[in-house]
């Protein structure tokens, strides 16, 4: 959202003092901008032709000073992450600064000062744009194990020269903004620590030859905004196995997972779910694709299920000792921006979103019928298990997947009025149950009745097909 320019939208809002112009950001949602606001008003700016400039950009250029960050296009029409610096001598001649308030010296980050260019904020407007509108914020998506370029100054033939070496990231300290790396060179194999925004590091392939070689899987799969650099690959996991550590694991499925920043929350969930026999057997069987539902409006176009299935197959292939779960993370981040970054998150929240994505992507119901909940008056005098069975039947008319088969339960809520004694019962389906953990020596006992719809548990007893013995149209059970 931004201010200035034509067009408008949004509901009511505050006065003019509430407006805020947002420039040069990526992966920002409405919730990020106004998490606590019930109504957010946006002013949408348009331009008549592609060659026109946005009003906000013209105003933004007037604010540029030494130290401002931006995207700049060089004389070869290539875009770079750049910074405004003090005017200085260029290519053996002084820059012609004739309009100090309209001219800027632009330095392309990661390149020598001799490549700096003098820009006019009006005549060169098309080559001066807000940051990350024409470049990818690759530093935001750096992860452990990623290849990178590292700059050193070395004396060669009596002169100091800039040399770039291949390296890989060994650790990232997000809270300090520091990157630990190891130079991949037999002559200069050493570890370095640099600031995350330092010009001593560059995206792999910027200066070194053979740009496509040795790229980690994270960079090959990346996408604009959610991933790293744009390139080949896709959301699938199995096609990019070079970043995994090959070797037979000590036990079947006992494969370690590499953290992508602070993603231990995700790895713990994946380790649990890949060891659940019903999910394991389902996704290891190629026939699972018969249930793939790419047209489900509530799903993720099948991408979450496909990424998880490919990940599961690699996990149980006895081919790897350690794996990088970037495919699952990328698939989920594509549809839930909350998990696009590499910060710490709640494991239970991630598991609920993953389970919901797997359910909707494998939901066997193509056309969901309209259903209603059982009215509490209908269930008066009817046994609990009969009401529960009918609620389950109605639920399965819209929800039928491997998650429902093996990972779904019902929670009964019983509400009694203290004044009139009226009683209301409801049976709600759930896939994740959160329970309190009491400190020792206190204990809590949870009673669970499990009737699964898979080969690991016996089927529940059938209910009578007619409602002769039921109340309110609900049948009493007939046990054989």
């Amino acid at each position: 959202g931004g201010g200035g320019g034509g067009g408008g939208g949004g509901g009511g809002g505050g006065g003019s003092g509430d407006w805020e112009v947002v420039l040069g950001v990526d992966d920002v949602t409405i919730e990020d901008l106004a998490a606590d606001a019930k109504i957010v008003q946006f002013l949408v700016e348009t331009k008549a032709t592609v060659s026109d400039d946005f009003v906000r950009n013209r105003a933004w250029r007037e604010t540029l000073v030494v130290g401002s960050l931006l995207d700049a296009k060089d004389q070869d029409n290539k875009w770079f992450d750049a910074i405004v610096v003090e005017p200085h001598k260029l290519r053996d001649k002084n820059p012609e600064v004739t309009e100090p308030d309209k001219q800027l010296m632009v330095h392309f980050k990661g390149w020598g000062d001799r490549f700096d260019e003098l820009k006019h904020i009006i005549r060169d407007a098309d080559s001066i744009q807000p940051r990350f509108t024409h470049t990818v914020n690759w530093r935001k998506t750096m992860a452990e194990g990623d290849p990178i370029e590292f700059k050193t100054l070395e004396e060669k033939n009596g002169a100091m020269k800039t040399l770039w070496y291949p390296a890989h990231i060994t650790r990232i300290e997000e809270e300090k903004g520091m990157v630990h790396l190891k130079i991949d060179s037999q002559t200069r194999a050493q570890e370095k620590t640099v600031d995350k925004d330092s010009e001593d590091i560059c995206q792999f392939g910027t200066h070194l030859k053979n740009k496509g070689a040795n790229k980690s899987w994270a960079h090959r799969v990346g996408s604009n905004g959610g991933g790293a650099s744009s390139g080949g690959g896709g959301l699938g996991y199995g096609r990019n196995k070079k970043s995994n550590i090959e070797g037979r694991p000590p036990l079947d499925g006992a494969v370690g997972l590499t953290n992508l920043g602070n993603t231990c929350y995700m790895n713990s969930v994946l380790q649990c779910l890949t060891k659940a026999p019903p999910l394991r057997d389902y996704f290891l069987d190629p026939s699972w694709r018969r249930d793939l539902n790419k047209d489900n409006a509530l799903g993720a176009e099948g991408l979450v299920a496909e990424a998880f299935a490919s990940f599961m197959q690699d996990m149980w292939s006895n081919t790897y000792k350690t794996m990088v779960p970037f495919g699952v993370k990328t698939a989920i981040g594509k549809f839930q921006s909350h998990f696009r970054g590499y910060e710490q998150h709640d494991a239970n929240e991630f598991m609920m979103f993953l389970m919901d994505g797997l359910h909707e992507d494998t939901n066997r119901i193509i056309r969901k019928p309209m259903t209603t909940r059982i009215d509490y008056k209908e269930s008066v005098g009817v046994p609990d298990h009969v009401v529960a069975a009918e609620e389950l039947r109605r639920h399965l008319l819209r929800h039928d997947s491997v998650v429902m088969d093996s990972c779904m339960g019902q929670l009964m809520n019983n509400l009694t009025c203290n004044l009139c004694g009226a009683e209301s019962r409801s049976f709600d389906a759930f896939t994740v149950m959160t329970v309190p953990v009491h400190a020792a020596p206190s204990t809590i006992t949870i009673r669970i009745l499990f009737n699964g719809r898979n080969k690991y548990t016996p089927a529940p007893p059938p209910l009578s097909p007619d409602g002769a013995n039921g109340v309110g149209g609900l049948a009493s059970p007939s046990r054989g």
Side-chain angles (χ1 to χ4, degrees), residues 39-155:
I39 297 177
V40 182
Q41 190 177 39
F42 289 92
L43 188 63
V44 181
E45 183 181 12
T46 63
K47 55 183 182 179
T49 65
V50 175
S51 59
D52 287 347
D53 193 20
F54 284 117
V55 174
R56 55 172 176 183
N57 288 349
R58 294 199 292 269
W60 165 77
R61 290 187 192 92
E62 297 286 348
T63 67
L64 292 175
V65 295
V66 173
S68 296
L69 300 173
L70 68 156
D71 281 355
K73 184 169 61 175
D74 69 359
Q75 294 179 346
D76 296 325
N77 291 322
K78 294 183 179 179
W79 286 96
F80 294 91
D81 188 14
I83 184 173
V84 178
V85 296
E86 293 282 359
H88 58 85
K89 188 175 181 179
L90 285 176
R91 297 181 178 88
D92 300 325
K93 66 179 181 179
N94 290 323
E96 298 178 0
V97 181
T98 57
E99 300 179 71
D101 58 335
K102 298 293 183 182
Q103 290 176 289
L104 304 169
M105 181 68 74
V106 173
H107 170 69
F108 302 101
K109 298 183 71 174
W111 295 88
D113 295 346
R114 64 191 181 93
F115 296 105
D116 293 356
E117 295 182 10
L118 193 64
K119 302 283 188 181
H120 194 283
I121 62 174
I122 298 177
R123 291 192 295 268
D124 300 319
D126 63 329
S127 62
I128 306 174
Q129 297 292 327
R131 196 182 190 194
F132 302 137
T133 55
H134 293 73
T135 64
V136 175
N137 187 6
W138 63 273
R139 296 173 191 265
K140 179 180 178 180
T141 56
M142 289 191 301
E144 294 178 16
D146 278 2
I148 202 169
E149 294 183 5
F150 180 73
K151 181 179 72 174
T152 63
L153 290 176
E154 301 180 19
E155 185 176 353

Side-chain angles (χ1 to χ4, degrees), residues 207-443:
H207 302 89
L208 301 178
K209 295 181 179 180
N210 194 17
K211 295 185 179 182
N214 299 322
K215 280 194 175 183
S216 76
W217 186 73
H219 277 265
R220 290 202 302 272
V221 162
S223 59
N224 293 333
S229 64
S230 59
L235 292 177
Y237 187 91
R239 71 186 69 180
N240 296 296
K241 302 175 181 177
K242 293 182 179 179
S243 60
N244 301 335
I245 298 178
E246 296 186 358
R248 187 176 181 86
L251 296 172
D252 291 354
V255 179
L257 299 180
T258 300
N259 274 350
L260 300 169
N262 297 319
T263 56
C264 52
Y265 71 93
M266 176 182 70
N267 289 352
S268 62
V269 170
L270 293 177
Q271 288 286 18
C272 292
L273 295 183
T274 53
K275 306 306 183 296
L279 294 178
R280 178 199 62 199
D281 293 351
Y282 177 81
F283 283 107
L284 290 182
D285 187 343
S287 64
W288 79 268
R289 299 190 68 87
R290 291 199 297 260
D291 296 336
L292 188 60
N293 189 345
K294 294 186 177 183
D295 299 324
N296 187 353
L298 299 179
E301 301 175 3
L303 296 178
V304 170
E306 287 182 316
F308 185 80
S310 189
F311 173 78
M312 179 80 80
Q313 291 158 14
D314 282 352
M315 173 74 79
W316 289 93
S317 67
N318 288 331
T319 305
Y320 306 105
K321 292 182 178 179
T322 304
M323 289 169 49
V324 182
F326 197 85
V328 176
K329 182 183 181 303
T330 303
I332 290 182
K334 181 178 177 65
F335 295 92
Q336 176 52 268
S337 60
H338 185 59
F339 297 109
R340 285 181 186 171
Y342 298 89
E343 301 82 11
Q344 181 63 269
H345 291 289
D346 182 72
N348 186 57
E349 182 182 2
F350 175 81
M351 181 173 66
M352 288 190 292
F353 188 83
L354 176 57
M355 295 290 284
D356 185 65
L358 292 176
H359 161 61
E360 295 295 354
D361 278 359
T362 60
N363 196 346
R364 304 177 186 107
I365 306 299
I366 305 300
R367 295 182 179 179
K368 297 182 179 181
M370 293 294 296
T371 59
T372 59
R373 300 294 302 274
I374 297 176
D375 186 85
Y376 79 94
K377 294 180 179 179
E378 283 187 89
S379 62
V380 174
V382 182
D384 290 341
H385 65 274
V386 177
V387 181
E390 176 60 18
E391 282 284 20
L392 176 61
R393 185 190 69 82
R394 298 184 185 187
H395 181 77
L396 294 178
L397 291 176
R398 295 175 56 85
H399 306 278
D400 184 17
S401 69
V402 62
V403 176
M404 296 296 103
D405 293 343
S406 308
C407 308
M408 186 270 292
Q410 281 184 304
L411 184 66
M412 184 181 78
N413 291 302
N414 196 320
L415 181 64
T416 302
C417 178
N418 293 329
L419 298 178
C420 66
E423 185 176 299
S424 173
R425 291 172 297 169
S426 64
F427 293 84
D428 300 309
F430 68 90
T431 55
V432 177
M433 176 182 288
T434 303
V435 296
V437 177
H438 292 260
S442 176
T443 60

